[in-house]
C-alpha cells in the first residue's frame, strides 16, 4: 500500500532552493527513520532527531540543494519498511 505522499516544493527564495515534503497517509503510527533522494546522490538536510513517530496526515519537510528538475526517486524509510516514490511516471 501507499503509506506516504511525496512532493517537491521548489522555492527560489528558500536558502536551499526548496524541500522534499513527506506526508504519512497510513493507518496508526509509523516510525520514520530516513529519506534518500536519487539514491543518496542529493543531499537532504534532516533537522531535529530521528526516529520520529508519524501519525496520519503529519508532514515532514526536508531542505535539499538538488535541482528539482533532476529529482528522479525519493525513498522514505521506516523502522519496518521503505517506500520508493518515482517522479518519472
Amino acid at each position: 500500500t501507499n503509506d506516504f505522499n511525496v512532493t517537491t516544493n521548489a522555492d527560489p527564495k528558500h536558502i536551499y532552493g526548496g524541500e522534499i515534503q513527506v506526508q504519512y497517509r497510513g493507518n496508526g503510527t509509523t516510525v520514520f527513520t530516513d529519506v534518500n533522494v536519487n539514491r543518496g546522490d542529493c543531499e537532504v538536510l534532516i533537522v531535529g532527531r530521528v526516529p520520529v513517530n508519524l501519525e496520519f496526515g503529519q508532514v515532514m519537510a526536508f531542505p535539499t540543494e538538488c535541482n528539482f528538475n533532476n529529482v528522479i526517486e525519493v525513498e522514505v524509510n521506516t523502522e519496518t519498511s521503505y517506500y520508493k516514490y518515482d517522479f518519472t511516471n
Side-chain angles (χ1 to χ4, degrees), residues 30-44:
T30 192
V31 181
F32 167 87
T33 58
D34 196 16
V35 64
N36 290 300
V37 179
N38 289 351
R39 300 181 182 174
D41 289 336
C42 289
E43 186 177 345
V44 177

Side-chain angles (χ1 to χ4, degrees), residues 41-88:
D41 289 336
C42 289
E43 186 177 345
V44 177
L45 179 61
I46 297 180
V47 178
R49 62 182 179 158
V50 290
V52 175
N53 291 329
L54 293 178
E55 295 180 358
F56 180 81
Q58 285 187 297
V59 176
M60 295 186 72
F62 306 96
T64 180
E65 292 181 351
C66 289
N67 179 330
F68 287 99
N69 294 325
N70 296 331
V71 173
I72 299 168
E73 178 183 280
V74 174
E75 180 181 283
V76 178
N77 297 291
T78 70
E79 281 191 342
T80 58
S81 63
Y82 69 93
Y83 167 72
K84 284 188 180 181
Y85 187 88
D86 185 350
F87 281 88
T88 61

